[in-house]
Short mmCIF file of all heavy atoms in Angstrom, two decimals:
data_model
loop_
_atom_site.label_atom_id
_atom_site.label_comp_id
_atom_site.label_asym_id
_atom_site.label_seq_id
_atom_site.Cartn_x
_atom_site.Cartn_y
_atom_site.Cartn_z
N LEU A 21 10.78 -3.69 -14.37
CA LEU A 21 9.39 -3.92 -14.01
C LEU A 21 8.55 -2.82 -14.67
O LEU A 21 8.97 -1.67 -14.74
CB LEU A 21 9.19 -3.86 -12.50
CG LEU A 21 10.12 -4.71 -11.64
CD1 LEU A 21 9.71 -4.61 -10.17
CD2 LEU A 21 10.18 -6.13 -12.11
N MET A 32 1.79 8.34 -9.74
CA MET A 32 2.11 6.91 -9.69
C MET A 32 3.18 6.65 -8.64
O MET A 32 4.01 7.54 -8.35
CB MET A 32 2.55 6.39 -11.06
CG MET A 32 1.44 6.51 -12.11
SD MET A 32 1.84 5.73 -13.68
CE MET A 32 1.58 3.98 -13.30
N TYR A 33 3.17 5.44 -8.09
CA TYR A 33 4.01 5.12 -6.93
C TYR A 33 4.64 3.73 -7.10
O TYR A 33 4.00 2.82 -7.65
CB TYR A 33 3.16 5.09 -5.65
CG TYR A 33 2.24 6.27 -5.46
CD1 TYR A 33 1.05 6.36 -6.15
CD2 TYR A 33 2.57 7.29 -4.57
CE1 TYR A 33 0.20 7.44 -5.97
CE2 TYR A 33 1.72 8.37 -4.38
CZ TYR A 33 0.54 8.43 -5.09
OH TYR A 33 -0.31 9.50 -4.91
N TRP A 34 5.83 3.57 -6.58
CA TRP A 34 6.43 2.25 -6.39
C TRP A 34 6.56 1.99 -4.89
O TRP A 34 7.06 2.85 -4.15
CB TRP A 34 7.82 2.14 -7.02
CG TRP A 34 7.85 1.88 -8.48
CD1 TRP A 34 8.36 2.68 -9.45
CD2 TRP A 34 7.37 0.71 -9.16
NE1 TRP A 34 8.22 2.10 -10.68
CE2 TRP A 34 7.62 0.88 -10.55
CE3 TRP A 34 6.74 -0.48 -8.75
CZ2 TRP A 34 7.27 -0.06 -11.51
CZ3 TRP A 34 6.39 -1.42 -9.70
CH2 TRP A 34 6.66 -1.21 -11.07
N TYR A 35 6.12 0.78 -4.48
CA TYR A 35 6.27 0.33 -3.10
C TYR A 35 7.01 -0.99 -3.09
O TYR A 35 6.93 -1.79 -4.02
CB TYR A 35 4.90 0.07 -2.45
CG TYR A 35 4.08 1.28 -2.12
CD1 TYR A 35 3.19 1.82 -3.04
CD2 TYR A 35 4.16 1.86 -0.85
CE1 TYR A 35 2.41 2.92 -2.70
CE2 TYR A 35 3.37 2.95 -0.51
CZ TYR A 35 2.51 3.47 -1.44
OH TYR A 35 1.73 4.55 -1.12
N LYS A 36 7.71 -1.24 -1.97
CA LYS A 36 8.36 -2.53 -1.74
C LYS A 36 7.71 -3.19 -0.53
O LYS A 36 7.53 -2.54 0.52
CB LYS A 36 9.85 -2.31 -1.47
CG LYS A 36 10.61 -3.59 -1.13
CD LYS A 36 12.07 -3.30 -0.81
CE LYS A 36 12.82 -4.58 -0.43
NZ LYS A 36 14.23 -4.30 -0.08
N GLN A 37 7.35 -4.46 -0.68
CA GLN A 37 6.78 -5.21 0.43
C GLN A 37 7.63 -6.44 0.70
O GLN A 37 7.57 -7.41 -0.05
CB GLN A 37 5.33 -5.61 0.14
CG GLN A 37 4.62 -6.21 1.35
CD GLN A 37 3.15 -6.49 1.07
OE1 GLN A 37 2.77 -6.86 -0.04
NE2 GLN A 37 2.30 -6.32 2.08
N LEU A 43 4.69 -2.21 4.24
CA LEU A 43 4.87 -1.69 2.88
C LEU A 43 5.71 -0.42 2.95
O LEU A 43 5.43 0.47 3.75
CB LEU A 43 3.49 -1.35 2.32
CG LEU A 43 3.21 -1.64 0.85
CD1 LEU A 43 3.26 -3.11 0.59
CD2 LEU A 43 1.84 -1.09 0.48
N GLU A 44 6.74 -0.32 2.10
CA GLU A 44 7.61 0.86 2.11
C GLU A 44 7.45 1.62 0.80
O GLU A 44 7.61 1.04 -0.27
CB GLU A 44 9.07 0.44 2.24
CG GLU A 44 9.44 -0.33 3.47
CD GLU A 44 10.88 -0.80 3.36
OE1 GLU A 44 11.81 0.02 3.52
OE2 GLU A 44 11.09 -2.01 3.09
N LEU A 45 7.19 2.91 0.90
CA LEU A 45 7.14 3.76 -0.29
C LEU A 45 8.55 3.94 -0.83
O LEU A 45 9.48 4.23 -0.07
CB LEU A 45 6.54 5.11 0.06
CG LEU A 45 6.42 6.13 -1.06
CD1 LEU A 45 5.43 5.67 -2.11
CD2 LEU A 45 6.03 7.49 -0.50
N MET A 46 8.72 3.77 -2.16
CA MET A 46 10.03 3.95 -2.78
C MET A 46 10.09 5.27 -3.56
O MET A 46 10.95 6.11 -3.31
CB MET A 46 10.33 2.79 -3.72
CG MET A 46 10.37 1.42 -3.07
SD MET A 46 10.57 0.11 -4.28
CE MET A 46 12.29 0.34 -4.76
N PHE A 47 9.20 5.42 -4.51
CA PHE A 47 9.20 6.60 -5.38
C PHE A 47 7.77 7.08 -5.61
O PHE A 47 6.83 6.30 -5.60
CB PHE A 47 9.80 6.27 -6.75
CG PHE A 47 11.21 5.75 -6.72
CD1 PHE A 47 11.47 4.39 -6.88
CD2 PHE A 47 12.28 6.62 -6.54
CE1 PHE A 47 12.77 3.90 -6.86
CE2 PHE A 47 13.59 6.15 -6.52
CZ PHE A 47 13.82 4.79 -6.67
N VAL A 48 7.66 8.41 -5.83
CA VAL A 48 6.39 9.02 -6.20
C VAL A 48 6.63 9.89 -7.42
O VAL A 48 7.61 10.64 -7.47
CB VAL A 48 5.80 9.89 -5.07
CG1 VAL A 48 4.47 10.49 -5.52
CG2 VAL A 48 5.62 9.08 -3.80
N TYR A 49 5.72 9.79 -8.39
CA TYR A 49 5.75 10.65 -9.57
C TYR A 49 4.42 11.38 -9.67
O TYR A 49 3.36 10.77 -9.55
CB TYR A 49 5.96 9.83 -10.85
CG TYR A 49 7.41 9.49 -11.12
CD1 TYR A 49 8.01 8.42 -10.48
CD2 TYR A 49 8.17 10.26 -11.99
CE1 TYR A 49 9.34 8.11 -10.72
CE2 TYR A 49 9.50 9.97 -12.24
CZ TYR A 49 10.07 8.89 -11.60
OH TYR A 49 11.40 8.61 -11.83
N GLN A 54 9.38 13.22 -10.75
CA GLN A 54 9.62 12.53 -9.48
C GLN A 54 9.55 13.53 -8.34
O GLN A 54 10.28 14.52 -8.32
CB GLN A 54 10.99 11.84 -9.49
CG GLN A 54 11.22 10.95 -8.28
CD GLN A 54 12.60 10.31 -8.27
OE1 GLN A 54 13.38 10.50 -7.36
NE2 GLN A 54 12.88 9.52 -9.30
N THR A 55 8.66 13.26 -7.39
CA THR A 55 8.50 14.16 -6.24
C THR A 55 8.95 13.52 -4.94
O THR A 55 8.98 14.18 -3.90
CB THR A 55 7.03 14.59 -6.10
OG1 THR A 55 6.21 13.42 -6.01
CG2 THR A 55 6.58 15.42 -7.28
N GLU A 56 9.28 12.24 -4.99
CA GLU A 56 9.71 11.57 -3.77
C GLU A 56 10.66 10.43 -4.11
O GLU A 56 10.39 9.64 -5.00
CB GLU A 56 8.49 11.01 -3.02
CG GLU A 56 8.82 10.32 -1.71
CD GLU A 56 9.10 11.29 -0.59
OE1 GLU A 56 8.72 12.47 -0.72
OE2 GLU A 56 9.70 10.87 0.41
N ASN A 57 11.79 10.40 -3.43
CA ASN A 57 12.72 9.28 -3.49
C ASN A 57 13.03 8.96 -2.03
O ASN A 57 13.73 9.74 -1.36
CB ASN A 57 13.98 9.66 -4.25
CG ASN A 57 15.00 8.53 -4.28
OD1 ASN A 57 15.02 7.67 -3.41
ND2 ASN A 57 15.86 8.55 -5.27
N ASN A 58 12.51 7.87 -1.55
CA ASN A 58 12.59 7.57 -0.13
C ASN A 58 13.91 6.87 0.19
O ASN A 58 13.92 5.74 0.71
CB ASN A 58 11.41 6.70 0.27
CG ASN A 58 11.17 6.69 1.76
OD1 ASN A 58 11.59 7.60 2.47
ND2 ASN A 58 10.50 5.66 2.24
N SER A 59 15.03 7.54 -0.14
CA SER A 59 16.37 7.01 0.16
C SER A 59 16.58 5.62 -0.43
O SER A 59 17.10 4.72 0.23
CB SER A 59 16.62 6.97 1.68
OG SER A 59 16.47 8.24 2.24
N VAL A 60 16.14 5.47 -1.67
CA VAL A 60 16.24 4.17 -2.34
C VAL A 60 17.63 4.04 -2.98
O VAL A 60 18.11 4.98 -3.62
CB VAL A 60 15.15 4.03 -3.42
CG1 VAL A 60 15.26 2.68 -4.11
CG2 VAL A 60 13.78 4.23 -2.81
N PRO A 61 18.29 2.88 -2.83
CA PRO A 61 19.62 2.69 -3.45
C PRO A 61 19.56 2.88 -4.95
O PRO A 61 18.55 2.61 -5.61
CB PRO A 61 19.96 1.24 -3.09
CG PRO A 61 19.14 0.92 -1.89
CD PRO A 61 17.87 1.71 -2.04
N ARG A 63 20.70 1.24 -7.31
CA ARG A 63 20.51 0.05 -8.13
C ARG A 63 19.03 -0.09 -8.57
O ARG A 63 18.70 -0.92 -9.40
CB ARG A 63 20.98 -1.21 -7.41
CG ARG A 63 20.32 -1.49 -6.07
CD ARG A 63 20.99 -2.68 -5.41
NE ARG A 63 20.35 -3.06 -4.16
CZ ARG A 63 20.70 -2.58 -2.99
NH1 ARG A 63 21.71 -1.71 -2.91
NH2 ARG A 63 20.08 -2.97 -1.87
N PHE A 64 18.16 0.73 -7.99
CA PHE A 64 16.77 0.84 -8.42
C PHE A 64 16.62 2.18 -9.14
O PHE A 64 16.83 3.23 -8.53
CB PHE A 64 15.80 0.80 -7.24
CG PHE A 64 15.79 -0.50 -6.50
CD1 PHE A 64 16.63 -0.70 -5.42
CD2 PHE A 64 14.94 -1.52 -6.88
CE1 PHE A 64 16.63 -1.90 -4.73
CE2 PHE A 64 14.92 -2.73 -6.20
CZ PHE A 64 15.77 -2.92 -5.12
N SER A 65 16.23 2.15 -10.41
CA SER A 65 16.13 3.37 -11.19
C SER A 65 14.74 3.48 -11.80
O SER A 65 14.38 2.70 -12.68
CB SER A 65 17.18 3.36 -12.30
OG SER A 65 17.05 4.47 -13.13
N PRO A 66 13.91 4.43 -11.33
CA PRO A 66 12.57 4.55 -11.88
C PRO A 66 12.55 5.40 -13.14
O PRO A 66 13.44 6.21 -13.39
CB PRO A 66 11.81 5.26 -10.75
CG PRO A 66 12.86 6.13 -10.12
CD PRO A 66 14.16 5.38 -10.23
N LEU A 76 10.45 0.38 -13.34
CA LEU A 76 11.50 0.30 -12.33
C LEU A 76 12.61 -0.57 -12.91
O LEU A 76 12.44 -1.77 -13.10
CB LEU A 76 10.95 -0.31 -11.03
CG LEU A 76 11.90 -0.28 -9.83
CD1 LEU A 76 12.22 1.17 -9.43
CD2 LEU A 76 11.29 -1.02 -8.64
N HIS A 77 13.73 0.09 -13.23
CA HIS A 77 14.87 -0.60 -13.82
C HIS A 77 15.76 -1.12 -12.69
O HIS A 77 16.08 -0.39 -11.74
CB HIS A 77 15.65 0.35 -14.73
CG HIS A 77 14.81 0.95 -15.82
ND1 HIS A 77 14.18 0.18 -16.78
CD2 HIS A 77 14.50 2.24 -16.09
CE1 HIS A 77 13.51 0.98 -17.60
NE2 HIS A 77 13.68 2.22 -17.21
N LEU A 78 16.14 -2.38 -12.83
CA LEU A 78 16.89 -3.05 -11.78
C LEU A 78 18.25 -3.49 -12.28
O LEU A 78 18.36 -4.05 -13.39
CB LEU A 78 16.12 -4.30 -11.31
CG LEU A 78 14.61 -4.16 -11.11
CD1 LEU A 78 13.98 -5.53 -10.88
CD2 LEU A 78 14.34 -3.22 -9.95
N LEU A 81 21.35 -6.16 -8.30
CA LEU A 81 20.56 -6.28 -7.08
C LEU A 81 21.21 -7.28 -6.11
O LEU A 81 22.07 -8.08 -6.49
CB LEU A 81 19.14 -6.73 -7.40
CG LEU A 81 18.27 -5.74 -8.17
CD1 LEU A 81 16.82 -6.18 -8.14
CD2 LEU A 81 18.39 -4.33 -7.62
N ASP A 85 17.03 -7.75 -1.75
CA ASP A 85 16.07 -6.97 -2.53
C ASP A 85 14.89 -7.83 -2.97
O ASP A 85 13.92 -7.30 -3.56
CB ASP A 85 16.75 -6.37 -3.78
CG ASP A 85 17.83 -5.37 -3.42
OD1 ASP A 85 17.64 -4.61 -2.44
OD2 ASP A 85 18.88 -5.36 -4.10
N ALA A 87 11.50 -9.31 -2.95
CA ALA A 87 10.29 -8.77 -2.31
C ALA A 87 9.17 -8.72 -3.34
O ALA A 87 9.36 -9.05 -4.51
CB ALA A 87 10.55 -7.36 -1.76
N LEU A 88 8.01 -8.28 -2.88
CA LEU A 88 6.89 -7.98 -3.77
C LEU A 88 6.94 -6.48 -4.06
O LEU A 88 6.95 -5.67 -3.13
CB LEU A 88 5.56 -8.36 -3.12
CG LEU A 88 4.30 -8.11 -3.95
CD1 LEU A 88 4.26 -9.05 -5.15
CD2 LEU A 88 3.05 -8.29 -3.09
N TYR A 89 7.00 -6.11 -5.33
CA TYR A 89 7.05 -4.70 -5.70
C TYR A 89 5.68 -4.32 -6.25
O TYR A 89 5.22 -4.87 -7.24
CB TYR A 89 8.17 -4.45 -6.72
CG TYR A 89 9.53 -4.57 -6.06
CD1 TYR A 89 10.14 -5.80 -5.91
CD2 TYR A 89 10.16 -3.45 -5.52
CE1 TYR A 89 11.37 -5.92 -5.25
CE2 TYR A 89 11.37 -3.54 -4.88
CZ TYR A 89 11.97 -4.79 -4.73
OH TYR A 89 13.17 -4.90 -4.08
N LEU A 90 5.08 -3.36 -5.58
CA LEU A 90 3.73 -2.92 -5.92
C LEU A 90 3.74 -1.54 -6.53
O LEU A 90 4.46 -0.65 -6.08
CB LEU A 90 2.85 -2.90 -4.66
CG LEU A 90 2.50 -4.27 -4.06
CD1 LEU A 90 2.01 -4.11 -2.64
CD2 LEU A 90 1.45 -4.95 -4.90
N CYS A 91 2.94 -1.37 -7.55
CA CYS A 91 2.73 -0.08 -8.18
C CYS A 91 1.34 0.41 -7.80
O CYS A 91 0.42 -0.39 -7.60
CB CYS A 91 2.84 -0.25 -9.69
SG CYS A 91 2.41 1.21 -10.66
N LEU A 113 9.59 -10.56 -6.95
CA LEU A 113 10.98 -10.58 -7.41
C LEU A 113 11.83 -11.45 -6.49
O LEU A 113 11.79 -11.30 -5.27
CB LEU A 113 11.55 -9.17 -7.43
CG LEU A 113 13.05 -9.05 -7.75
CD1 LEU A 113 13.33 -9.48 -9.19
CD2 LEU A 113 13.55 -7.62 -7.52
N LYS B 101 1.28 10.43 0.33
CA LYS B 101 2.24 9.49 0.86
C LYS B 101 1.63 8.77 2.05
O LYS B 101 1.25 9.39 3.04
CB LYS B 101 3.51 10.23 1.28
CG LYS B 101 4.33 10.68 0.12
CD LYS B 101 5.37 11.71 0.47
CE LYS B 101 6.07 11.47 1.76
NZ LYS B 101 7.11 12.48 2.01
N LEU B 102 1.52 7.47 1.93
CA LEU B 102 0.92 6.66 2.98
C LEU B 102 1.99 5.94 3.78
O LEU B 102 2.96 5.44 3.23
CB LEU B 102 -0.02 5.63 2.38
CG LEU B 102 -1.23 6.18 1.60
CD1 LEU B 102 -2.00 5.04 0.94
CD2 LEU B 102 -2.13 6.96 2.53
#
Side-chain angles (χ1 to χ4, degrees):
Chain A
L21 309 184
M32 297 187 77
Y33 312 78
W34 278 118
Y35 288 90
K36 176 183 179 182
Q37 188 175 35
L43 218 65
E44 300 173 75
L45 179 67
M46 299 175 72
F47 302 103
V48 181
Y49 278 82
Q54 188 182 120
T55 55
E56 182 77 18
N57 178 335
N58 198 22
S59 303
V60 180
R63 57 186 184 270
F64 295 91
S65 176
L76 188 63
H77 303 299
L78 317 170
L81 293 193
D85 296 321
L88 181 68
Y89 289 85
L90 291 163
C91 173
L113 174 67
Chain B
K101 287 165 40 177
L102 298 175

